[in-house]
Amino acid sequence: MAPPLDPDRVVSATVAASAEVASVVAGFVRLPRKVLTMVEKADALLDRADSLMVQAERSLEHTEGLMPVLQQVDRLGPDVAELLRVTDEVRRAVLGIPGVGMLWRRGGPAAEATGTDQPAR
């Protein structure tokens, strides 16, 4: 035979169990809200990532257009160096012509710009 039940103990055990069930249910109620917040944040991050991808594609299109130009600039380096060398030789040859120094001293725009009456050497 079963021992007699104490009504006070049954009520207190039932109240304790009810409180525990209520806290578990409250946790389950908060869980969907947290999940919804996380999903909204993830959606915002995906939107940002999508806009970054669009910008990256546009940048890549512009870069592809620049590549032929950059290759031409790479080829121009030696040509520019040669042009500077020849220009310097021509300048030296002109300065070697008799009378150029006298023309320089007459006050042309080059003399005013340099602030001197001597030709550049």
Side-chain angles (χ1 to χ4, degrees):
M1 204 148 92
L5 294 175
D6 182 14
D8 290 334
R9 282 181 62 175
V10 170
V11 169
S12 66
T14 304
V15 168
S18 297
E20 193 171 327
V21 168
S23 90
V24 169
V25 169
F28 281 127
V29 168
R30 281 179 262 156
L31 183 64
R33 289 182 188 147
K34 289 181 181 179
V35 169
L36 182 61
T37 303
M38 290 170 50
V39 167
E40 288 172 348
K41 288 179 181 178
D43 187 47
L45 287 174
L46 287 174
D47 286 343
R48 289 180 189 163
D50 186 47
S51 70
L52 286 174
M53 289 300 295
V54 169
Q55 289 177 358
E57 288 174 359
R58 289 181 185 156
S59 296
L60 186 60
E61 290 171 5
H62 292 297
T63 305
E64 288 173 356
L66 287 176
M67 290 310 289
V69 173
L70 292 176
Q71 289 172 347
Q72 290 293 331
V73 169
D74 188 38
R75 289 186 207 136
L76 285 178
D79 294 339
V80 170
E82 178 68 18
L83 183 62
L84 288 173
R85 187 184 63 74
V86 170
T87 303
D88 188 50
E89 289 176 4
V90 169
R91 184 182 63 78
R92 289 177 189 219
V94 167
L95 289 176
I97 297 173
V100 168
M102 181 184 71
L103 290 174
W104 218 284
R105 286 189 294 274
R106 292 193 80 188
E112 292 173 9
T114 59
T116 180
D117 51 8
Q118 293 293 322
R121 299 210 184 246

